[in-house]
Amino acid sequence: MPRLQLLTRAGCHLCEVAAETLARIGDEAGLAPEAVDVDDDPELQAEYGDRVPVVLLDGREHSYFTVDVDRLRRDLGL
């Protein structure tokens, strides 16, 4: 089963839009996307800084700033 995560932070409008998109795609794929606040982890904050939202699929960066819906659906076999 693939693992779908969204690196986010509080007050990020793009993160809210990405979360809604991931929830919809996650439902289609039978996955529950996990939100991870980069500000709760100094290593993630150092690595991603202001480059959020970031979509991780199985721990690998899939897209950032916006969800690449077509690519994600393809990679999830939808």
Side-chain angles (χ1 to χ4, degrees):
M1 176 79 52
R3 183 174 183 202
L4 191 57
Q5 294 176 291
L6 178 65
L7 302 183
T8 186
R9 72 167 26 100
C12 170
H13 173 72
L14 289 177
C15 298
E16 294 170 10
V17 172
E20 291 170 5
T21 302
L22 281 186
R24 187 178 70 247
I25 295 172
D27 282 345
E28 292 175 28
L31 299 173
E34 174 189 2
V36 178
D37 190 325
V38 296
D39 293 326
D40 290 341
D41 184 326
E43 289 180 24
L44 289 176
Q45 188 177 34
E47 183 172 349
Y48 293 99
D50 290 331
R51 192 172 57 96
V52 292
V54 177
V55 176
L56 301 178
L57 180 58
D58 293 331
R60 296 162 95 173
E61 188 173 317
H62 191 272
S63 56
Y64 62 94
F65 292 139
T66 60
V67 178
D68 187 336
V69 172
D70 292 335
R71 180 173 170 229
L72 183 58
R73 293 192 74 191
R74 183 183 66 241
D75 291 347
L76 291 172
L78 298 176

